[in-house]
Amino acid sequence: MRILSTAACVAFFSAAALAQQTAAPATSSAASSQTQPSQPAPPPVPPPAHPITAEQIEEMQKLTKADEMKDRIVTNLMQYYRSTIPPFIPQDVIQDLDKSLHSADLNAKAAEIYPKYLSTEDAAKIIEFYKTPAGQHLAGAQPYLTAELQRSAVQVAQQTVKDVITRHQAEIQDAQKKYMQEQQQNKPSLNAPAQKPQSSAAPK
């Protein structure tokens, strides 16, 4: 029972961490459009006086290999989805999802988001850097750096969950035992006498 309880807790928190890691942008976007009709909160930094231009955004995306980054993100998403999608889902649905995600314009909002944070001066310096050999090396390594950092973050989270559960093992077992007892007490007994329905008629 102890091993099963620990394993179940670790599995739950690990799955939650992975799901949040891979699907947080879509979830937050859906929540903001469905449950938050009010205007979003202003950026934590003041918007620039001279926002980045559309031409600068396009050049930055090319230099930083945004399309390659998008393909890797979609590939990682599909790996996660394939491991969690119920087995009865037809393969053509999964293939359609894969194809649709790869063809989706994930950078469509860039023209709205970048100007909130970057100025034309910022963009000029960033573009200048990414045109250097060091900048191009960083752009090529960025997807792999990000993937490794994400995997290591999940591993650290899994180990942290395991450590916390181990420290509170006795407390968890007591709480589980108490919960099971309460659930058992709340179940109707088969030997309990059936209650007669009360008559709604007024006494004569």
Side-chain angles (χ1 to χ4, degrees):
M1 179 65 74
R2 176 179 303 178
I3 296 176
L4 289 176
S5 300
T6 303
C9 290
V10 172
F12 171 78
F13 284 107
S14 301
L18 180 60
Q20 186 175 10
Q21 166 199 328
T22 56
T27 303
S28 59
S29 176
S32 61
S33 63
Q34 295 179 7
T35 62
Q36 299 292 336
S38 59
Q39 292 295 325
V45 294
H50 306 286
I52 184 174
T53 66
E55 292 77 12
Q56 287 177 317
I57 294 174
E58 183 178 358
E59 188 172 6
M60 278 180 54
Q61 289 180 326
K62 288 180 180 178
L63 288 170
T64 57
K65 301 179 174 26
D67 288 339
E68 295 180 19
M69 175 74 79
K70 169 206 161 183
D71 288 339
R72 290 193 61 84
I73 291 173
V74 171
T75 298
N76 291 336
L77 276 173
M78 284 306 304
Q79 289 178 351
Y80 172 72
Y81 290 148
R82 288 179 188 277
S83 66
T84 57
I85 288 176
F88 57 81
I89 299 297
Q91 280 300 311
D92 64 322
V93 176
I94 300 176
Q95 292 171 359
D96 188 10
L97 175 61
D98 191 352
K99 182 179 178 180
S100 298
L101 283 173
H102 274 95
S103 62
D105 188 2
L106 300 185
N107 297 317
K109 291 291 186 180
E112 299 177 16
I113 298 173
Y114 275 56
K116 296 179 181 179
Y117 302 95
L118 297 178
S119 66
T120 54
E121 296 81 7
D122 295 330
K125 293 179 181 179
I126 293 171
I127 290 171
E128 182 181 358
F129 166 71
Y130 273 105
K131 285 182 176 179
T132 66
Q136 284 300 288
H137 180 74
L138 175 60
Q142 191 69 45
Y144 305 96
L145 284 169
T146 303
E148 286 200 38
L149 287 170
Q150 289 176 340
R151 284 196 297 269
S152 65
V154 172
Q155 291 172 355
V156 170
Q158 289 175 334
Q159 186 60 49
T160 302
V161 170
K162 189 182 296 184
D163 293 343
V164 171
I165 291 174
T166 299
R167 289 199 298 269
H168 295 269
Q169 186 67 60
E171 181 182 352
I172 293 173
Q173 286 183 330
D174 290 342
Q176 182 185 26
K177 184 178 179 181
K178 181 179 179 181
Y179 175 79
M180 296 299 293
Q181 290 175 344
E182 291 176 349
Q183 292 299 309
Q184 191 66 31
Q185 291 174 356
N186 292 334
K187 286 184 179 180
S189 174
L190 296 177
N191 298 325
Q195 295 183 353
K196 295 183 180 178
Q198 295 181 354
S199 176
S200 60
K204 296 181 180 180

